[in-house]
Amino acid sequence: MGNGTRLGRVRGLGSSHHGSGHWLQQRLTALANIFLVTWFFVSMVRLPLGDHAAVHRWASNPTVALALILLVVSVFWHFRLGLQVMIEDYVHGEATRLLAIVVLNFYAIGGAAYGIFAIVRIALAPAAIGPGGM
């Protein structure tokens, strides 16, 4: 490997080509979040104010449910990528860093799974009955 040159001293200490993929994933999830959150915000503004049944009917639409699932997955994936970088940069000690990454993965995957479960439950639930009905 050679210790005499600057290249020889740093060879093998780089990112092993994983940094560029991580960077690209973060940018793609950010772009997806911009579009999906904008769609979600505009959709919420267009729904009647305070009408739970209208929101339930809207979320029960399979196309809307799929978009909501994509939103949840994209937000939690972006969250995990960003916090992973912070942990790798600022948490010292290999055991502490490993534990922090494991806890991060648990919460990110668990949060996304719970969100998907809630969306699927709404999409598969029978339609809400309006006011005055049984």
Side-chain angles (χ1 to χ4, degrees):
M1 206 188 269
N3 291 329
T5 66
R6 285 185 273 175
L7 179 61
R9 286 190 293 273
V10 299
R11 190 167 294 188
L13 299 177
S15 66
S16 299
H17 308 289
H18 293 278
S20 60
H22 192 103
W23 181 87
L24 185 60
Q25 284 181 17
Q26 214 169 13
R27 285 354 179 237
L28 290 175
T29 56
L31 183 64
N33 287 343
I34 289 171
F35 289 121
L36 290 168
V37 169
T38 302
W39 163 80
F40 181 73
F41 180 75
V42 169
S43 297
M44 287 291 108
V45 168
R46 294 182 67 201
L47 288 172
L49 187 63
D51 189 2
H52 180 266
V55 174
H56 190 274
R57 282 190 307 274
W58 173 77
S60 296
N61 183 336
T63 307
V64 172
L66 178 63
L68 288 172
I69 289 171
L70 289 174
L71 173 67
V72 167
V73 169
S74 179
V75 165
F76 275 99
W77 188 256
H78 186 75
F79 163 76
R80 188 188 108 21
L81 289 170
L83 281 183
Q84 179 183 349
V85 169
M86 288 179 59
I87 289 169
E88 289 171 350
D89 288 347
Y90 298 111
V91 174
H92 303 292
E94 194 62 35
T96 308
R97 185 179 301 127
L98 180 62
L99 178 64
I101 294 290
V102 168
V103 170
L104 169 64
N105 286 335
F106 174 77
Y107 279 109
I109 293 169
Y114 182 76
I116 292 169
F117 172 75
I119 293 165
V120 169
R121 187 171 168 217
I122 290 170
L124 297 179
I129 298 174
M134 278 183 59

